[in-house]
Amino acid sequence: MLDLDKVLAFLRAMNEEGVEYITFGAVALWAHGIVRATEDADFFVAPTTENIARLKKALRSVWNDPSIDEIDADELMGEYPSVRYGPPDTELTMDFLTRLGQAYAYDTVESEMAEIEGVPIRVVTARQLYEMKRNTVRHKDRIDAEALRQEFSLPED
């Protein structure tokens, strides 16, 4: 189950460090008022070495973990731009991506500001999240898409 306190602490740290990020997945669902159990948090991050350095600084401010140094800006800006990080003191895992295949990227996803428990966050829009989830093979994504469609009166197109 998602450690909400740690996620909120990390979101605060990213804001304080000026990390350019957009959350998607279950945390974005949560920001849109649809809560479901999860063990991970998903983030698009701006694909610059400076931004990834800020991301690492934000991670270090929450977790004293030398493995944070293994997060490589070149990897996040390369052919497979995804890194998974699991802090040592929690079951939480976080996925950082600069793009998801050719369909979605930090620079192109629709996003907006939201708030979770007083913490401002940048999140994909409900419509964008619906588009990301509606045609996937994972059953839970299709359930999420239907919940978004109903909650926000989105067309099925």
Side-chain angles (χ1 to χ4, degrees), residues 35-36 41 64 72 80 99 108 137 143-144:
V35 178
R36 78 155 163 82
N64 181 19
D72 184 2
Y80 301 102
R99 66 179 162 77
T108 61
V137 296
I143 291 170
D144 293 344

Side-chain angles (χ1 to χ4, degrees), residues 12-120:
R12 280 188 204 95
M14 285 199 298
N15 291 341
E16 289 169 9
E17 296 301 332
V19 177
E20 296 173 68
Y21 72 91
I22 303 168
T23 188
F24 65 102
V27 175
L29 283 171
W30 179 25
H32 289 300
I34 300 170
V35 178
R36 78 155 163 82
T38 187
E39 293 178 351
D40 72 341
D42 302 303
F43 302 95
F44 284 112
V45 293
T48 67
T49 53
E50 298 81 11
N51 191 56
I52 295 165
R54 291 190 297 267
L55 170 67
K56 291 165 70 170
K57 189 173 180 185
L59 285 164
R60 284 186 201 99
S61 75
V62 179
W63 293 281
N64 181 19
D65 180 10
S67 69
I68 292 168
D69 293 335
E70 297 171 18
I71 296 173
D72 184 2
D74 290 335
E75 185 176 349
L76 272 169
M77 295 184 295
E79 189 174 344
Y80 301 102
S82 175
V83 170
R84 174 165 277 190
Y85 172 68
D89 63 344
T90 180
E91 293 181 21
L92 169 69
T93 58
M94 292 177 281
D95 293 316
F96 300 105
L97 301 89
T98 56
R99 66 179 162 77
L100 184 57
Q102 300 303 314
Y104 305 104
Y106 173 82
D107 294 328
T108 61
V109 294
E110 295 174 12
S111 65
E112 62 191 6
M113 290 305 295
E115 192 174 286
I116 298 177
E117 297 189 16
V119 179

